[in-house]
Amino acid sequence: MMYLNVKAITKHFGATCVAQGVGFSLARGEIGALLGPSGCGKTTLLRMIAGFEEPDSGSIHLQSRPLWEAGQGLAAEARQIGMVFQDYALFPHLTVWENIAFGMKDVSRREIKSTIDELLSVTGLAGVEKRYPHELSGGQQQRVALSRAIAPKPRCLLMDEPFSNLDVTLRESLSAEVREIIKRFGITALMVTHNQHEAFAMADRIGVMMAGNILQWDTPEGLYHKPETLSVARFIGEGSLLAGTLTSEGTLDCGLGAFSVAENIGREAVQKVHVFVRPEAVQIATSGKQAVARLEKSCFRGPGRSCLFQLPSGEWVRAAAETRCCLREGDAYGLSVSRDGVSLFSEHEEERFAGFSE
Amino acid sequence: MERCDTDMMMERPLGLFRAGGRVEPSLVLASGVALVVVLPILFVMVSIFADTRDIWGHLRENLLAGLLFNTAVLSAGVLALTALFGVWAAYLTALCEFPGRRFFSWALLLPLSIPTYVMAFVYTGLLDYSGPVATFLRQHVPTVAPFMPPIRSTGGVILVLALALYPYVFLLAAGGFASQGERVLEASRSMGLSRRRLFFRVMLPMARPFIFGGLILVLMETLADFGAVAVFNYDTFTTAIYKAWFGFFSIDAASQLASLLVVMALGVLTAEGWSRRRMRYFRGRDGRRAKRIPLSRRQALGAHLFLGGLFSVAFVIPMIQLFAWVGEAWREEWHLGYGELLGNSLALAGAGAFLTLSAALILAFAGRKLTGRFMAILSRISLLGYALPGTVLAVGMVRVLTGIDHMATGLFAVLGVAISGPFLQGTVWVMPVAYMVRFLSVGFNAVSSSLGRVSPSMDEAARTLGVSGFSLVRKIHLPLIQGGMVTGAILVFIDIMKEMPLTLMTRPFGWDTLAVKIFELTSEGEWERAAIPAVALVVAGLIPVGILVWQKERTNR
């Protein structure tokens, strides 16, 4: 059995449903992330694990012991789960040291001191332990909140949008740092975020959540390269959506040309499908027999250039190009596609066709 | 570990966040507070229907029209004058820049420390026919003397009340002007508005809800005022209630008059709720405050004349006069038992502040724990008392107590014990309760604003760290609201010391306080002797004004 198990959680606030039979699990020492737009129910799910909200049905187990089962559960204060809040919720009347020591009970004075000293040095807070929260920068406050949650050696760590109050540059450096700290202490953690870069930087497993459902629970690579639904494909990263047809022999025909698909799909003769293409799978050539498209917009991005082409069919294709190559807006170029950057989805069910790539 | 977990699951199946059919203790306590507040009001209102034909008829024929007229004239006059003083002073100190601006922005709040009845007797004593000013004029410039207007006139009461009450308008209007963001004013100027038109078309309309809020406080105080109008022998509802009760010995007639005053007070209260809602929309959103307009030399001189004049008349002159009288009366008076008066005042204020703060804590914590319509209504009802004049509240309290005494006597009679005389009515124990009803909102505002700084996520953070229940209150809530509790207690304490009619009408016979002594001495025209307790009250009153100034300076920096 996995370390943290969430099964078939359903939760309503009045008439709105914020979780419809949601489930996932984390192995010991893994970091998970719930990723989704605001209002998708991810924070509520986190708060149900912490014990601040009660599920209508379903169960939550930690270390094979129930936190919530059959309509009954442990109180939040008895769950031994650490939490980092979006606003950090530091106690303004206590110093950094006192904040971190707040949850350490039944522990010898020596152990408190050694734990806090270690945390302070790992988080780079050494020297500020006598200050009050309002005397610290945002990044420092965030690290105090993390240290306070870790200090009592919780069974699990929860983080609610931990970086949303920081500016963008700090966010990236700090998320890598926080991941390192959590891994160093071997803590199983779950975070909630609406920012996929944060989720990618922090998590071993990510659940994409929309309208009270986890659409896919997977590794970051799995989410990007093998999205299981069109919604996940659209939400993670960038890409273009084309209409295509798939013959029973396994040939895909779309605006970027005709390919043969590796596996035979034994259904009706000809099917209409959605073709989802990642920008980096599109190659641009100045000439050739590939599909010809006109460059409408080209946008310099530093490491690369983002190009928007229009196909003769009127469909739009986004492609990534090198910065140094000179492309002129309004000119026609040949496009080809590498197959492992393409996902197919059936037109009606939005579900992925198995085994296209590889 | 396993056993421990299952134990906790048995004991706490629902966690802290669901009442789950259990009776919520904080809700019971909050309902108790609301009941104590609402009972006196209900008892007064019910008396509209009581049958007191002879006295009521007499009142209606001979008095009612006059009382209504007096109240209307007084209110209109005081409102007009306070609006003039308050708005002008607020505009100059909040939106203009000139030497001395900072001084006036806090100094003009100082008159708040002078109770209206002290302001009244100081100016009566100073400007009366036998007072120093009139005597000086008669001796040195006899030609001018006859033209000096009499202070004991409608104009006199209006002026005195306006001098004591304008700081309410000043305070709120200054806040309104200061909260106007720089962006809005810049936008208006970029559209080509001249400075004069900027004031009348943008600044004044934007500050209007704040000015209105200040004027409503002034109206409440004017309707509730007893001491000042008593000094001037200017009959309003409050003095009529007092006379009906202590003159005609008719508590019924007193409560019928009081019920009319309740209706007026509730009307004012409704207007206040409306203006508060409007204030929220008018608060500037961008953080930067408007740049102050520098005044030219001549304009600055005019500002100094107006602000300096207002400050002298409303604070400096009354203080000098008070201390001069104290100097004269000190020698003969100091052995006359002011210690006992002071002791009584302090004891009452202490007990009242303690009770008020306890009730405020109950309401604040219940409001934090329970959100919902019922709780919102409960706390609104509980905070009604500040709109009620002390005279009305005194009548209501006495009626409630008479009812309880009747019930108690009946109960004891059933048990075979005969007791004579009232059992609660006219005892000291009732007075802190009456103060609690009147000043609960003062204490509540201080406590709840500091409790509001403790975010819900702080509670949750403490709980994930294994701290909950009483130790959560002890470790997190109490340290963070201590400051608010002390501020609230000081404000309530001093309000109680200054409260005149409620003390006068609910005290046991002969149980005097500083405010009661002032009433007795001024009704005999003994200004010099009244100055000694008055100075004590004014000095005490400077403490809450100091707190207010400190808060204002901190937010407006």
Side-chain angles (χ1 to χ4, degrees), chain B residues 100 183 296 310 411:
Chain B
R183 296 277 174 283
S296 70
L310 184 59
L411 194 68

Side-chain angles (χ1 to χ4, degrees), chain A residues 73-244:
Chain A
L74 278 179
E77 52 270 29
R79 290 190 180 195
Q80 294 179 282
I81 289 180
M83 183 144 172
V84 176
F85 291 82
Q86 187 170 7
D87 61 355
Y88 313 140
L90 297 176
F91 305 125
H93 60 301
L94 301 179
T95 61
V96 168
W97 180 282
E98 289 163 337
N99 261 290
I100 299 177
F102 190 85
M104 300 179 76
K105 278 172 295 185
D106 311 321
V107 183
S108 72
R109 204 169 278 267
R110 267 213 358 248
E111 202 175 325
I112 291 181
K113 184 167 165 32
S114 68
T115 309
I116 297 184
D117 279 339
E118 186 188 359
L119 278 168
L120 288 173
S121 75
V122 167
T123 53
L125 286 171
V128 302
E129 62 266 26
K130 296 235 165 55
R131 296 213 202 144
Y132 286 89
H134 66 90
E135 298 169 317
L136 303 179
S137 70
Q140 286 175 318
Q141 291 183 6
Q142 214 273 349
R143 278 175 268 201
V144 175
L146 179 69
S147 308
R148 182 181 69 178
I150 293 178
K153 303 200 165 51
R155 300 197 286 169
C156 171
L157 177 70
L158 304 177
M159 293 177 281
D160 183 9
E161 299 272 8
F163 306 109
S164 65
N165 281 337
L166 302 172
D167 59 66
V168 184
T169 45
L170 199 56
R171 240 181 246 187
E172 292 194 356
S173 62
L174 201 58
S175 54
E177 197 182 308
V178 166
R179 180 182 159 90
E180 215 157 283
I181 295 168
I182 293 173
K183 287 290 179 191
R184 178 190 171 121
F185 286 88
I187 298 169
T188 312
L190 179 69
M191 76 182 289
V192 149
T193 179
H194 64 272
N195 181 329
Q196 45 184 301
H197 302 298
E198 272 172 40
F200 288 159
M202 288 277 298
D204 302 312
R205 289 189 176 273
I206 299 173
V208 176
M209 221 176 148
M210 277 177 198
N213 282 305
I214 292 185
L215 301 181
Q216 189 172 350
W217 178 258
D218 210 335
T219 58
E221 294 81 5
L223 283 179
Y224 190 79
H225 293 302
K226 286 199 240 167
E228 279 168 13
T229 64
L230 195 52
S231 309
V232 172
R234 281 180 169 161
F235 187 71
I236 303 286
E238 290 186 315
S240 327
L241 191 64
L242 305 173

Side-chain angles (χ1 to χ4, degrees), chain B residues 262-277:
Chain B
V262 168
V263 173
M264 289 184 217
L266 291 182
V268 176
L269 199 64
T270 318
E272 197 218 5
W274 179 80
S275 84
R276 265 195 211 189
R277 278 196 298 283

Side-chain angles (χ1 to χ4, degrees), chain A residues 47 51-54 65-66 72-78 80-81 83 85 87 89-93 102-103 105 148-149 152 155, chain B residues 1-2 5 8-10 12-18 455 457-469 475-476 479-480:
Chain A
R47 290 171 58 80
F52 299 129
E53 306 283 350
E54 300 174 349
R65 282 193 283 268
Q72 293 204 336
L74 278 179
E77 52 270 29
Q80 294 179 282
I81 289 180
M83 183 144 172
F85 291 82
D87 61 355
L90 297 176
F91 305 125
H93 60 301
F102 190 85
K105 278 172 295 185
R148 182 181 69 178
R155 300 197 286 169
Chain B
M1 192 67 199
E2 187 76 68
D5 278 1
M8 289 190 99
M9 284 182 74
M10 296 313 227
R12 270 232 187 92
L14 299 168
L16 275 174
F17 35 74
R18 193 194 279 175
S455 71
S457 62
M458 278 184 217
D459 285 21
E460 292 176 352
R463 287 178 59 202
T464 59
L465 297 167
V467 172
S468 63
K475 285 182 163 173
I476 304 295
L480 286 172

